[in-house]
Amino acid sequence: MKQKRKKSAQELLVSLRGQQANNISITSQDLQQQFHGDQPDEQLENENIITPTLRDSNINASSSSNEANTQEKEEPLVVKIKDTSTGEVTTQKMQPDRVWNLEKNKKIMVELNGDGQGSDNGSNLLVRFLGKLSQKSVFCPISVERWDRMPKAKTHLQWQLIEENFEFDYAIGIKWVMHSLRDRWRAYKYKLRCDHFYPNKSKEEILANRPANVDSNDWTAFVHHYKEDKKKTQSAQNTKNRTKLKVSHAGGSKSNARRGRQMEQKLGRPVCRSEVVLSTLLKKNGNYVNEEGKILADKISEHLPEDQEHAATLGVPLKILAHPNDTIGKVYGVEHYGRVRGIGGNVCPSDVFGMPRHSISHANVGNFSNTSHQRVEDLEKHVETLEEKLTGYEETKEKLEETKKRLAQNENHLETLHRFLLAKFGNELPSFNIDSS
């Protein structure tokens, strides 16, 4: 079967912007469910609910008391906020809940690294905001079985809300943002299953125990889907596979992109992915995550200076440097076709290594390294040739300048001689052309 071609970032951006806001509406009933869950109708009638635009919808992420009680309050982040009408940029402490209430002419600025991933506090706030957004049925219904089956109307709403509140290079960062939203949506669905799908509970009991902030239709479809025998078998196999993981990490929720950017600022030089991965194997108290993590860290440390020297030599800012045959490539082995270790989400080998995914394999990593080395040598020879030509050009230019000076001096001498002869012989002097002489 022919594989479907993935959209480029520019095509995805055009697609998400294709449907205007006035063609997509959120009903007042949807908003009321987001605000109040299953409150009685008479109580809802006393609330001042308006059907506004997306930015004015005021679907506060902390509106659900159950959600607020179960989630730990996050510390506010100092971010840059741009006034789109004046261009003025100010710094301000912000939390995800406050993003919903931003003024229409204000946007939170997000810095992207060389791989199109967020690497500052603005990006951290954006990811937290996406976590809140993923839990809203109006935008991200859990009744959808897979993210690639999310209705287009919903994806338009999601992107419109993001673009209204955050500013960054949309064409470069759109894939990272939408993949981050997808991952938060999946994590939210997994959390719901962990909290409510107990082995000793029947489907009817789970359906009756619906969370207050989840739409009833959404919950019904969600429960029916994950109670199918096929999904039960798949979940059991995934749990079994997870137990085979030997080395965990102590990186927390901080992305590798942000971690690498902070390390780069602290060290004052570009960093390699070996340094980033190594930092995630250590806890805050200085201990390794486990014994396997210590063994892995020792292997990385053995070749780490080579990668550090390579990163310092290349000197590429705002980018975690990696190549197939670096320390991580040697220790962990071949890269997965859909991601690169130590870099972060939404970055595949073809993006980092500049070669097709199918060509990344154990057999050709060494060949790729040799090819890269040969190309570097060829480039160095080419540079040397250009330098020699440039030196020859400078020498030729100097000789030309000297010749021009001598010709100018000779011309002055001829003019002086001509004036002398005129003064001495007068009309008896035969005429001649100085230039032609």
Side-chain angles (χ1 to χ4, degrees), residues 72-135:
E72 183 180 354
K73 186 177 181 181
E74 297 172 318
E75 292 295 326
L77 296 166
V78 179
V79 297
K80 295 179 181 179
I81 299 179
K82 182 178 180 180
D83 190 322
T84 55
S85 59
T86 63
E88 181 184 3
V89 178
T90 58
T91 56
Q92 183 179 334
K93 285 186 176 182
M94 287 284 291
Q95 287 183 322
D97 297 350
R98 295 182 58 190
V99 175
W100 303 88
N101 301 320
L102 268 179
E103 300 175 23
K104 288 186 178 181
N105 60 328
K106 299 290 181 66
K107 287 188 177 184
I108 299 163
M109 300 182 68
V110 176
E111 179 184 283
L112 303 178
N113 66 6
D115 293 312
Q117 301 169 306
S119 58
D120 63 341
N121 280 351
S123 64
N124 189 6
L125 183 65
L126 171 55
V127 171
R128 291 186 188 181
F129 173 76
L130 296 178
K132 304 292 185 182
L133 179 62
S134 67
Q135 300 178 26

Side-chain angles (χ1 to χ4, degrees), residues 144-156:
V144 179
E145 296 179 3
R146 290 171 31 174
W147 182 260
D148 56 2
R149 297 176 183 173
M150 185 70 67
K152 288 185 178 180
K154 299 297 183 183
T155 58
H156 285 300

Side-chain angles (χ1 to χ4, degrees), residues 193 231-242:
R193 288 161 55 200
K231 293 303 297 183
K232 288 181 181 179
T233 303
Q234 184 179 355
S235 298
Q237 184 61 45
N238 290 339
T239 303
K240 182 179 178 180
N241 293 340
R242 185 67 178 178

Side-chain angles (χ1 to χ4, degrees), residues 179-243:
H179 285 195
S180 297
L181 178 58
R182 175 202 64 189
D183 293 342
R184 269 69 196 164
W185 178 73
R186 289 175 175 173
Y188 174 57
K189 292 173 70 176
Y190 177 71
K191 184 179 184 302
L192 288 174
R193 288 161 55 200
C194 292
D195 292 344
H196 298 276
F197 283 51
Y198 294 107
N200 59 342
K201 281 191 175 183
S202 64
K203 181 190 291 188
E204 290 69 25
E205 290 177 311
I206 297 175
L207 286 171
N209 192 29
R210 175 175 63 88
N213 61 320
V214 177
D215 176 77
S216 59
N217 294 330
D218 249 11
W219 182 249
T220 301
F222 177 75
V223 173
H224 282 304
H225 174 64
Y226 281 101
K227 275 297 183 179
E228 294 177 355
D229 292 337
K230 181 180 178 181
K231 293 303 297 183
K232 288 181 181 179
T233 303
Q234 184 179 355
S235 298
Q237 184 61 45
N238 290 339
T239 303
K240 182 179 178 180
N241 293 340
R242 185 67 178 178
T243 59

Side-chain angles (χ1 to χ4, degrees), residues 289-322:
V289 288
N290 52 25
E291 188 60 30
E292 287 79 4
K294 183 180 184 304
I295 296 173
L296 191 60
D298 291 339
K299 291 181 180 179
I300 296 174
S301 301
E302 183 179 352
H303 302 283
L304 181 60
E306 300 173 12
D307 290 353
Q308 290 176 329
E309 183 180 357
H310 186 65
T313 302
L314 289 178
V316 182
L318 296 176
K319 192 176 178 71
I320 300 174
L321 297 173

